[in-house]
Amino acid sequence: MDSRVWDNRAWLFVVPVMAFVLFSSLIPMMTVVNYSFQDSMGQNSFFWNGPGWFQNLLDPTTAVGARFQGALLRNFAFSFTVLAIEIPLGIAVALCIPKSGWRVGAVLVAIALPLLIPYNVVGTIWQLFSRTDIGLLGVALGRSGVPFNVTQNAGSAWAVIVLMDVWHWTSMVALLCYAGLKAIPDAYYQAARIDGANRWSVFRNIELPKLRKVLVIAMLLRFMGSFMIYTEPFTVTGGGPGEDTSFLSIDLVKMALGQVDLGNAAAYSLVYNLITLTVCWMFFTYTTHADSKDVA
Amino acid sequence: MLDRIGLKRGDEVHIADASLELHAGSMNVLLGPTLSGKTTLMRLMAGLDRPTSGRLVEDGRDVTGLGVKHRSVAMVYQQFVNYPTLSVYENIASPLRVQGLPKAEIESRVARAAKLMRLEPMLKRTPAQLSGGQQQRTALARALVKQAKLVLLDEPLANLDYKLREELREELPRIFAETGAILVYATTEPAEALLLRGSTATLREGRITQVGPSAALYREPGNLDAARVFSDPPLNELALTVSNGVAALADGSRLPGDGALGALPDGAATLGFRADAAAAAVAVGGDGRDPSHPAFPGTVAVTEISGSESFVHIATDAGLGTLVCLVEGVHAFEPGDRAEARLDLARAFAFGADGRRIAARPAAAPRREPVPA
Amino acid sequence: MAQITLDGIGHAYGGDPKTEADYALKPIHHVWEAGKAYALLGPSGCGKTTLLNIISGLVIPSHGRLLFGDRDVTRLPTERRNIAQVFQFPVIYDTMTVAENLAFPLVNRGVARPRIDARVGEIAAMLDLTADLKRRARGLTADAKQKISLGRGLVRSDVSAVLFDEPLTVIDPALKWELRSKLKAVHRALDLLMIYVTHDQVEALTFADKVVVMNDGRAVQIGTPAELFERPEHTFVGYFIGSPGMNLLRGEVAGAEARVDGHVLPLGAAYPALPQGMAVTLGIRPDYATLTAGDGLPVTVTRVDDLGRKRLAHASLGGGQSVVATVPHGMGVETGPARLRLDPGKIHVYVDERRVAGRDLVGRAA
């Protein structure tokens, strides 16, 4: 019925992006997929290994499987710990930021500073900071009699890494929450005053519900960040003592580059990737689902 | 010209078989409540959306599905849409710059539009420094300079204070009439449609219910939907049951067979009348009533006062719902007061079960008798 | 139950006004009587919101005192003023049910549970919210949410005043009259002092016992709806109330006659106090200016607007001024020459925008 020719030239503009995505992610990814199903005897000759690497990886009784499981649990423990600290702390910090006046700018810049430091520099700062010979923290704790040694004591290593992440990233949560708080119309606060609500009630009934969406985003970002963390703990502990702070990423790099165990590493990285994707997807569906409930 | 335009999304019908003929230099009002499809229809006319059925014909040329870029269209929205970083001058000039007109031409056109819209002192300011009325005048000026063949105004005055609205709606038709463009103006307000003159199409649920010259359509709505859309305050409606040519109300009382009521076929029908066909009066009781003015006693729910008119909402005793009656001037009918609605049957409309108007009352409206209040 | 007194309340943002123009709100004396409904009506920027904020305590006035009963509350914070307020946009507590929302101001003040339940039930019934009481407030429509906000404003019976800041802005036009009538009914049932800010004349005139018309930081007239319509004390009131507003004509007054564009108009009163030939403004509402088939001023009709219910003609007086006049029902009218009748008793005389009271003609007739 309709004989008009539609102008499809606009699609040409998308071509560069598609080419870029192809080269930056699709082709490298297919290489990894390739490795994960094959084995090699060296000299660049490969043969089909089927799901062998994956079976190996997901079976905790094998050496590789045990390594993977350990790193995975450590990673979840780490993400959970930093989220549990950073989210409430970020909200608390955001509540303390002034709402207007010249101090807003000063406070925001001060808070944002840790976000501007490159990851490896953060790692280096904390590595030096916690050294027992010259680091301020290490020496101070040592003198006060607290058993503290990052290179030998797992507890110490964890404490430093968690502390470092909190120091580095709480600012981001705080800034997001601050933006969320600013978006609450003044009328809500005025109404609450008129209704005779106390400070806790204002937080519980107005601020927290209005921050819900921002908090979900903050949690998603911090989960991804902490779950894929590499540079900072590697700089501070190198994954040690022993394997105690060896997260998935650190372990993976060790396996791929240190031991050139390409098949296992490929399967490892694909499963790692899948886990990250799954958790993000769960977050995403949760938020969109909650939103649609709002509209109804 | 719109030829049986339709738009469906999935199973949802957004616009059903809309046909309209729009002439150059004419004012066309789309009148309908919120979500009745006014904006959707305008987007179809502009070529922003593509109809799923029907054709759009411009000067004998089929332009269905032709993108808005290739058409000569200007559109103004309810929200004040301006480029925030550009001055008023640049805002108005922007469509001309896109067309690549010579500088002198741009200057003279902008100057003319600014003069008509009384924006001359503000040309150097940015939109943020303007009042709402000035911002909307800037958007209107931008539509004006473009000299488009089709100008679509989507409730352009809805967000303005009512005094400003009064002024602008007097000026708008005059200003745009000079351009010879087809003007399409969407509004929810019957009064606006009447003031703009031209012709009106009433819309309800994506369907054009009637088209005609605005004042004539107001006086002679052809169906219940058109009458509802073209009434503010809302149309008073009474359900009727007609048997042997005698109309009875829901409470069993009978109405005289005057005017259209006499011509009703047996079965269900609806009596519709606007507030000005019913006068509110202090209840007087049975005696001395004019039989052609049936009275409905009740209790005042609220009196809305618009300044020169008072609209009394009377909740009827007989359970016939709330009737809105007009009293001229400011009248203090207080909520809870006893009052009655006196209906002038000669000014009421009768609609059959299918919603169609049954019989027209005489064309010359008899002068309404003053009612002692 | 107390009255609220504005004792010379004025406000200048920044504190120290040098001239009249520096005031956002020019000093005003007024007593809001207990149990009455008032509206503050004016265009945006007229100072009505500033005045409301002063009463609610969000703004501390730079001048004057604010008394609730006999108590000076000028500097008291909002929460200690014992007022309720409803805002332009619905303010609801997302996580609570409708009932919890309504009960919130009472719960915070430690009212006993049975009394809270009774009061919440009463308010919910008035606003047709009873069926929704158990629902979560978040999922409701804007109309319902605003009804909850209204309910929270009305739930306390001991407040000095309930303040409304354009509360019907978000309400669907078709539902507005219903909420207006609810508010009106609630006011009668609860006997609270209510102050209602709006720029919409219909809302103000419908809701209020008395309307305060504000312009340019000044209360130009305080009166009943009928007074504002029949006897505007200020040209702004004439212009702002009524749609279309009052006709305002430049002219001169001599005794009981006025001269406009070469025409002589009889007036309903005499103005001996005004010097002969003094330039004044004459005001007459379109409702009292009618085209006529009989005697009247010769005018030229330039345009006729058919509004359905009525027709309005724009009639030029010949000297550059024109009048909007009502066309009687049934009268045929076209552009061109016509006759205009102005009801003498409805013509008001304004000097410097203020109405000048004339002396009744009855005395002179003898």
Side-chain angles (χ1 to χ4, degrees):
Chain A
M1 175 190 144
D2 179 43
S3 59
R4 194 170 309 280
V5 178
W6 282 80
D7 192 345
N8 280 325
R9 277 175 298 183
W11 287 106
L12 288 176
F13 289 102
V14 186
V15 169
V17 178
M18 285 166 71
F20 180 77
V21 170
L22 200 68
F23 278 100
S24 70
S25 53
L26 243 48
I27 293 178
M29 174 120 166
M30 287 322 292
T31 318
V32 174
V33 172
N34 217 8
Y35 283 144
S36 73
F37 290 104
Q38 301 186 51
D39 202 351
S40 168
M41 292 299 183
Q43 275 119 33
N44 227 9
S45 70
F46 291 90
F47 54 88
W48 180 250
N49 189 30
W53 299 124
F54 291 95
Q55 283 164 347
N56 219 11
L57 186 75
L58 297 176
D59 181 359
T61 55
T62 65
V64 175
R67 260 173 85 173
F68 177 73
Q69 195 192 38
L72 185 63
L73 290 175
R74 277 192 291 278
N75 233 336
F76 274 119
F78 179 70
S79 288
F80 179 81
T81 311
V82 297
L83 275 172
I85 299 173
E86 286 171 17
I87 297 292
L89 191 60
I91 297 173
V93 171
L95 287 171
C96 297
I97 303 175
K99 289 249 158 44
S100 58
W102 62 270
R103 288 178 307 165
V104 178
V107 171
L108 289 184
V109 168
I111 286 182
L113 276 179
L115 297 173
L116 304 176
I117 304 172
Y119 294 21
N120 56 343
V121 178
V122 172
T124 312
I125 290 172
W126 281 83
Q127 202 265 338
L128 294 172
F129 188 46
S130 57
R131 272 174 69 159
T132 42
D133 48 355
I134 53 167
L136 187 61
L137 179 70
V139 171
L141 286 175
R143 291 215 181 134
S144 62
V146 178
F148 178 83
N149 191 325
V150 173
T151 50
Q152 282 158 27
N153 181 326
S156 303
W158 268 79
V160 169
I161 291 173
V162 168
L163 205 59
M164 173 175 63
D165 199 80
V166 168
W167 176 81
H168 196 180
W169 291 110
T170 302
S171 305
M172 190 193 69
V173 179
L175 290 177
L176 280 171
C177 290
Y178 180 69
L181 286 173
K182 285 276 279 187
I184 301 175
D186 271 347
Y188 278 85
Y189 293 104
Q190 293 166 16
R193 282 171 71 187
I194 287 166
D195 289 341
N198 57 30
R199 186 70 192 87
W200 166 250
S201 184
V202 169
F203 174 69
R204 172 73 193 74
N205 294 306
I206 297 174
E207 291 172 332
L208 205 52
K210 295 280 171 207
L211 280 181
R212 204 175 52 99
K213 286 178 190 173
V214 169
L215 285 178
V216 170
I217 291 176
M219 283 165 75
L220 183 60
L221 288 174
R222 276 323 296 137
F223 171 77
M224 291 199 297
S226 61
F227 200 70
M228 298 189 294
I229 197 163
Y230 174 75
T231 314
E232 296 137 287
F234 186 75
T235 319
V236 178
T237 65
E243 297 285 305
D244 283 332
T245 58
S246 179
F247 299 125
L248 287 168
S249 56
I250 297 176
D251 198 34
L252 179 59
V253 170
K254 236 184 256 171
M255 191 183 286
L257 299 184
Q259 298 151 357
V260 205
D261 190 352
L262 289 185
N264 270 320
Y268 198 128
S269 67
L270 283 177
V271 173
Y272 185 10
N273 196 4
L274 274 176
I275 294 170
T276 316
L277 273 176
T278 311
V279 176
C280 290
W281 179 79
M282 277 158 52
F283 262 115
F284 182 77
T285 44
Y286 166 76
T287 39
T288 44
H289 181 66
D291 283 353
S292 66
K293 230 175 26 191
D294 264 8
V295 175
Chain B
M1 194 185 90
L2 274 66
D3 182 15
R4 300 176 63 78
I5 285 286
L7 180 70
K8 281 187 192 175
R9 297 216 171 100
D11 286 338
E12 245 178 285
V13 178
H14 288 253
I15 293 291
D17 287 346
S19 296
L20 274 179
E21 211 167 305
L22 310 170
H23 298 283
S26 67
M27 163 62 85
N28 306 276
V29 180
L30 299 178
L31 176 66
T34 1
L35 300 178
S36 59
K38 302 186 298 294
T39 304
T40 318
L41 194 55
M42 284 191 151
R43 290 180 59 88
L44 290 172
M45 291 182 193
L48 285 166
D49 289 328
R50 215 178 127 76
T52 44
S53 62
R55 294 185 319 144
L56 200 64
V57 180
E58 187 179 286
D59 295 337
R61 193 167 66 108
D62 187 343
V63 292
T64 324
L66 197 60
V68 66
K69 258 197 325 191
H70 306 287
R71 304 264 313 279
S72 177
V73 178
M75 193 154 179
V76 176
Y77 305 86
Q78 181 179 345
Q79 293 81 14
F80 317 136
V81 183
N82 289 305
Y83 301 105
T85 55
L86 298 183
S87 67
V88 170
Y89 181 95
E90 284 304 321
N91 259 291
I92 302 174
S94 58
L96 305 179
R97 295 222 192 277
V98 172
Q99 288 173 21
L101 291 185
K103 207 168 170 225
E105 169 81 13
I106 294 181
E107 262 174 35
S108 75
R109 279 214 218 171
V110 172
R112 251 196 92 227
K115 187 160 179 247
L116 281 170
M117 288 295 169
R118 288 184 284 144
L119 284 168
E120 285 160 309
M122 295 112 193
L123 285 176
K124 291 213 161 48
R125 298 194 206 165
T126 58
Q129 297 167 306
L130 301 179
S131 70
Q134 291 163 343
Q135 287 185 41
Q136 191 64 324
R137 288 215 295 268
T138 305
L140 287 163
R142 195 170 55 234
L144 187 64
V145 286
K146 208 173 165 188
Q147 297 185 353
K149 281 191 204 162
L150 178 62
V151 178
L152 303 167
L153 307 174
D154 190 1
E155 299 190 48
L157 308 182
N159 284 359
L160 300 177
D161 281 4
Y162 75 95
K163 275 290 159 187
L164 210 56
R165 203 150 66 208
E166 270 175 26
E167 286 163 24
L168 271 176
R169 78 181 154 206
E170 283 200 6
E171 291 172 24
L172 275 185
R174 183 173 52 77
I175 290 169
F176 278 97
E178 288 176 18
T179 65
I182 301 174
L183 268 187
V184 182
Y185 189 111
T187 180
T188 56
E189 292 179 46
E192 203 156 81
L194 286 164
L195 262 176
L196 293 169
R197 298 145 194 248
S199 65
T200 292
T202 50
L203 259 90
R204 198 179 162 93
E205 289 166 6
R207 215 169 270 282
I208 293 182
T209 52
Q210 197 178 353
V211 188
S214 304
L217 204 162
Y218 176 85
R219 295 224 154 68
E220 303 293 343
N223 53 63
L224 187 54
D225 278 338
R228 278 177 183 156
V229 170
F230 220 146
S231 296
D232 178 42
L235 188 75
N236 293 311
E237 291 174 37
L238 294 174
L240 299 176
T241 317
V242 185
S243 58
N244 300 324
V246 178
L249 292 165
D251 66 336
S253 63
R254 292 175 168 198
L255 288 176
D258 290 12
L261 286 180
L264 282 172
D266 282 6
T270 303
L271 186 69
F273 53 98
R274 298 201 179 94
D276 55 326
V282 178
V284 289
D287 291 338
R289 273 189 188 149
D290 180 348
S292 68
H293 287 70
F296 303 98
T299 310
V300 174
V302 71
T303 305
E304 290 185 290
I305 304 171
S306 77
S308 50
E309 295 167 325
S310 304
F311 297 99
V312 187
H313 296 246
I314 298 177
T316 53
D317 295 341
L320 301 171
T322 302
L323 299 177
V324 189
C325 312
L326 171 75
V327 186
E328 285 184 17
V330 175
H331 278 267
F333 280 97
E334 289 289 325
D337 283 1
R338 296 291 301 162
E340 61 184 31
R342 290 189 198 155
L343 165 62
D344 181 357
L345 274 182
R347 290 155 60 89
F349 311 117
F351 302 97
D354 57 354
R356 287 166 92 92
R357 179 88 178 279
I358 294 300
R361 64 191 166 82
R367 199 184 157 180
R368 186 154 46 84
E369 299 305 317
V371 176
Chain C
M1 209 61 35
Q3 63 185 25
I4 293 183
T5 309
L6 307 179
D7 179 13
I9 289 280
H11 188 64
Y13 289 98
D16 185 27
K18 299 278 184 292
T19 64
E20 276 254 289
D22 289 344
Y23 281 100
L25 176 71
K26 298 185 175 72
I28 173 176
H29 291 273
H30 185 62
V31 177
W32 311 93
E33 290 170 45
K36 283 259 169 78
Y38 293 90
L40 291 172
L41 173 67
S44 42
C46 70
K48 56 188 193 289
T49 305
T50 306
L51 182 50
L52 193 79
N53 287 342
I54 287 173
I55 297 171
S56 70
L58 297 171
V59 170
I60 305 294
S62 58
H63 294 75
R65 294 188 313 148
L66 179 69
L67 306 176
F68 283 17
D70 300 325
R71 198 161 65 107
D72 186 338
V73 298
T74 318
R75 268 151 227 295
L76 280 189
T78 303
E79 54 272 30
R80 291 179 52 201
R81 288 197 180 197
N82 206 21
I83 46 142
Q85 185 164 359
V86 180
F87 297 87
Q88 194 168 3
F89 298 99
V91 174
I92 55 146
Y93 301 105
D94 285 343
T95 48
M96 300 185 194
T97 65
V98 174
E100 284 165 346
N101 259 284
L102 292 178
F104 194 57
L106 301 177
V107 172
N108 287 327
R109 286 176 176 80
V111 177
R113 198 71 233 181
R115 275 189 56 201
I116 293 181
D117 291 341
R119 184 70 177 175
V120 166
E122 186 188 348
I123 295 291
M126 278 183 199
L127 295 170
D128 290 339
L129 285 170
T130 310
D132 291 331
L133 277 177
K134 295 264 176 301
R135 288 185 60 182
R136 268 242 251 167
R138 192 165 70 196
L140 299 174
T141 62
D143 300 340
K145 284 182 180 175
Q146 190 64 336
K147 278 207 253 178
I148 298 172
S149 302
L150 287 171
R152 259 206 345 272
L154 300 166
V155 78
R156 291 172 57 206
S157 52
D158 59 341
V159 290
S160 304
V162 187
L163 312 178
F164 299 91
D165 188 1
E166 313 219 9
L168 301 187
T169 307
V170 294
I171 306 298
D172 190 87
L175 297 174
K176 273 189 181 171
W177 79 265
E178 203 182 317
L179 269 181
R180 283 182 199 141
S181 71
K182 286 265 177 300
L183 271 178
K184 192 95 179 155
V186 163
H187 175 243
R188 294 170 70 89
L190 297 183
D191 195 31
L192 291 168
L193 166 57
M194 297 188 177
I195 303 174
Y196 189 111
V197 164
T198 177
H199 64 262
D200 183 292
Q201 60 165 346
V202 178
E203 248 162 62
L205 299 175
T206 300
F207 172 77
D209 299 321
K210 278 199 173 176
V211 179
V212 182
V213 182
M214 298 196 60
N215 187 34
D216 213 4
R218 194 194 306 270
V220 290
Q221 186 173 356
I222 302 172
T224 63
E227 282 167 1
L228 297 178
F229 181 71
E230 295 291 348
R231 216 169 44 248
E233 292 296 336
H234 192 280
T235 49
F236 179 78
V237 178
Y239 155 81
F240 202 72
I241 303 281
S243 189
M246 190 180 230
N247 292 298
L248 295 168
L249 303 165
R250 291 182 310 279
E252 294 166 6
V253 164
E257 283 179 344
R259 228 174 275 278
V260 177
D261 280 0
H263 303 285
V264 176
L265 311 177
L267 298 177
Y271 298 86
L274 296 179
Q276 288 266 328
M278 180 183 179
V280 299
T281 303
L282 298 161
I284 183 160
R285 294 219 173 261
D287 314 70
Y288 301 122
T290 41
L291 291 189
T292 169
D295 278 351
L297 299 178
V299 291
T300 311
V301 172
T302 53
R303 203 176 92 203
V304 181
D305 286 329
D306 188 339
L307 299 183
R309 276 200 289 284
K310 59 183 176 192
R311 287 173 299 165
L312 293 175
H314 294 245
S316 161
L317 294 175
Q321 303 197 78
S322 70
V323 172
V324 179
T326 306
V327 183
H329 287 286
M331 179 177 166
V333 65
E334 276 169 43
T335 54
R339 295 275 170 174
L340 173 69
R341 204 188 105 75
L342 303 175
D343 184 344
K346 303 292 186 182
I347 302 179
H348 301 289
V349 176
Y350 296 89
V351 175
D352 289 339
E353 305 188 327
R354 301 228 144 249
R355 193 174 78 91
V356 182
R359 206 179 62 206
D360 228 324
L361 281 185
V362 187
R364 206 193 62 159

